[in-house]
Amino acid sequence: MLRTASRPRWGRALLARGLGSRRGGSAPDQNGKVSEIKKKIQSVLPGGAWNPLYDTSYLPPEHSDVVIVGGGVIGLSVAYWLKRLEKPRGAIRVLVVERDHTYSRASTVLSVGGIRQQFSVPENIQLSLFSIEFLRNINEYLAVVDDPPLDIQFNPSGYLLLASEKGAALMESNVKVQRQEGAKVCLMSPEQLRNKFPWINTEGVALASYGMEHEGWFDPWSLLQGLRRKVQSMGVLFCHGEVTRFISSSDHMETRSGEEVTLKRIHEVHVKVDHSLEYQPVECAIVINAAGAWSGQIAQLAGIGKGPPGTLQGTKLPVEPRKRYVYVWHCPQGPGLETPFVVDPSGVYFRREGLGNNYLGGCSPTEEEEPDPGNLEVDHDFFQDKVWPPLAQRVPAFETLKARSSWAGYYDYNTFDQNGVVGPHPLVINMYFATGFSGHGLQQAPAVGRAVAEMVLQGHFQTIDLSPFLFSRFYLGERVQEHNIV
Amino acid sequence: MAAPRAPLHLVAPLWNTGTRGIRGLSRVAAPEGNQKKGRSLLQFLADRFYDVQALREYLLRKQAWKMHQKNRPFTYIKERYGPYAAGAYFILKLGGAVKFQGKEWIRSNARGHFSLDFLKLQTVPVEAVDASGCAINYQGLDSLCEWGGSGAPCICPGVVGSRKALSANTSPAPTPTVALKELQVLWLQRCPHVDDWCLSRLHPLANSLQELSLAGCPKISERGLACLHHLQNLRKLDISDLPAVSNPGLTQILVEEMLPDCKVVGADWAQGLKLGQEEQ
């Protein structure tokens, strides 16, 4: 392949030839020729891509140690921690492949941006606690020389989860677990709730848990840009393309008990360029699946799930895109500056947006009402029928609200137990997952990135033990059910 | 994998064509300073030499480490002399002033020295703290607000020596007790590192704090002011001259609504409104 021409050993000779072959022409012609020759000289000098014949800078490199499929907050977080935890500096070449550089359908930027520690699974609480510490010190972690400091616009207003009679006991035990892990959560009775937030109608509320600190919401776009800027300064390469194929090889092996196992290893990733049939095979050692809502498709490309159902080969990655709506409304008599992120027992949530009495919120639909995830069109009847009535019942001031705008985004929904999948696949040995977070991926991204980087570099989890989140639980049937899903 | 590099290795500018756009974007979006055409020599060198870049990164991290050192908790003093003395020592070391109940203000002199008599007052609570202009940050406020609480994880990412960030589960969760329980007055005027996170840290002082002054802090915005509603005993709040607050007049009204018993001093509510011709 002409593109794999060898490095500039012959650079000097070609340089001389390039300069020598310049002919005199008319003045504008000469200017064009001069700039062309300047470009060729630049490509010949060290650091330039050696491509005197045609430009291939839009293609990914031919070799990369780690290929991260998906350039959202999880993929960039993995890239950051890989570059940060690698032992000799510059040891690992990382390539991030993202097919939509405008992030128009990415879950990260369409997210409401909340972060909370009020989960029921202890690992989720630990992930969230580390992530909030990361966000608090973001200008130490993601500092780039000469660039302005990051402001993620964090609102430390806390989450207020309300529980009815049925859920009160569960909420109490959850809060106990949360406090044990170090979250600052307190329980409130309906009386205390009315004193603190007079705009709430506490009918049907038996107990409430309120996060005093380390909870709130922030701007996911600035986190994404901050990560992107830092990760580029650390030397990670970005590629705008789509992964269409994995070339892998299989090894038939026998376990100690004599069972036959087929282990697969991915050798090449084919990255297809946008609006073209052109693709580049990238030779790689490790592939990280951080494709969010489309991780299931990437897993299928790698051959995960191709086998008789009920076996490990036949276990698919149970992550699929689920569409969720977010509505913005204006209510002049609405709750004031102290409004936390309120989650009703019916599943409806809302939070304050800005200073102008605007609020945003939504609701997760039930399994039967799941909208079609083919597009990102918003269903306004859903707001009228399913979101507004519980809102108006919980906050009487919201009876006179005026809907302003709305948008839709995807959850990378894990249909098995709504918790993330982190770690390697048992059969495709060099594919690692970091996906399936079902709506709380953004708030766990820094910690998950570090966990995956530790797994890749050291072979085991070091700081937070995420072994309950490995892929093998889908085959073994061990659910890690998260009860506080918004 | 990486070949050993010669000391001054000439590399092409740090961007590939893909990144030039992003770096260019981030510079264009920067609020001030980066619009100047001529770049300084150091920036130019850092873009072309790995060693200069590494040196500048080291200097940046050293600055952060110095801040971290200034705000370190004095655990020995806490164990030996009690939380009030430790809090007072911390504030005096930073250059502020402390007032014990029934005593006069203790301040450090121009050279940063102060008398250690207050170490004998182990049971006298601290009533007022004046940390105006001090380099106090989130970690420092920890030693004022809570003892053995969430300040435990060490945050500075590996500057000098090997510092590893502890995760939440390596330190056993101790029962948090408020360090300065009877603190009534807290002045944080013109503190350059007090930001929204620090304000969210003040909630353990809700029972006692009556006066809080945040005038002139450059990093506080209305998002941090929203979490002051925990401080229900607050009677006097000063939020004047906060440059990061987007709409001072409206924020003043909203904070007054949020804290009905408190006298909020700060922006005049008409500040954001357009003045009529006769009022000009």
Side-chain angles (χ1 to χ4, degrees), chain B residues 210-272:
Chain B
Q210 289 175 9
E211 188 180 324
L212 176 63
S213 169
L214 299 169
C217 293
K219 288 191 182 173
I220 292 186
S221 70
E222 66 272 15
R223 301 179 285 273
L225 295 177
C227 54
L228 289 180
H229 75 278
H230 292 287
L231 307 172
Q232 285 301 323
N233 281 327
L234 206 59
R235 296 289 170 262
K236 191 154 174 283
L237 174 64
D238 184 357
I239 51 170
S240 48
D241 195 28
L242 293 174
V245 169
S246 52
N247 201 331
L250 181 57
T251 312
Q252 159 105 1
I253 299 177
L254 291 172
V255 171
E256 276 175 10
E257 275 179 23
M258 187 172 81
L259 294 169
D261 299 324
C262 178
K263 178 169 181 295
V264 180
V265 170
D268 184 21
W269 65 270
Q271 196 175 315

Side-chain angles (χ1 to χ4, degrees), chain A residues 4-20:
Chain A
T4 58
S6 51
R7 276 292 159 182
R9 278 199 305 277
W10 309 320
R12 303 253 171 87
L14 274 171
L15 185 67
R17 236 192 294 146
L19 281 176

Side-chain angles (χ1 to χ4, degrees), chain A residues 84 91 126 133 136-137 140 143 145-146 148 153-156 180 184 210 213-214 228 232 237 337-338, chain B residues 1 16-17 19 22 30 43 56 60 138 146 150 155 157 169 173 197 200-201 203 223 226 229-230 254:
Chain A
R84 200 178 131 133
Q126 290 167 24
E133 190 246 297
R136 189 172 68 233
N137 299 303
E140 285 177 22
V145 171
D146 288 334
Q153 305 196 351
F154 180 68
N155 284 269
Q180 254 176 356
K184 304 262 175 32
Y210 183 41
E213 222 195 307
H214 300 324
R228 204 183 160 111
Q232 275 171 344
L237 295 168
L337 202 57
E338 75 277 7
Chain B
M1 288 188 202
N16 57 31
T17 41
T19 59
I22 289 297
Q43 261 176 282
R56 293 194 78 199
L60 210 75
Y138 182 91
E146 200 149 305
S150 68
I155 36 170
N169 63 344
W197 299 89
S200 73
R201 199 75 194 77
H203 67 90
R223 301 179 285 273
H229 75 278
H230 292 287
L254 291 172

Side-chain angles (χ1 to χ4, degrees), chain A residues 143-165:
Chain A
V144 178
V145 171
D146 288 334
D147 276 346
L150 267 179
D151 178 18
I152 51 165
Q153 305 196 351
F154 180 68
N155 284 269
S157 298
Y159 265 64
L160 179 71
L161 265 60
L162 304 171
S164 56
E165 279 290 337

Side-chain angles (χ1 to χ4, degrees), chain B residues 186-207:
Chain B
L186 180 59
W187 288 339
L188 293 171
Q189 291 159 354
R190 299 176 311 279
C191 291
H193 299 284
V194 166
D195 55 12
D196 299 333
W197 299 89
C198 299
L199 290 186
S200 73
R201 199 75 194 77
L202 292 178
H203 67 90
L205 299 174
N207 290 334

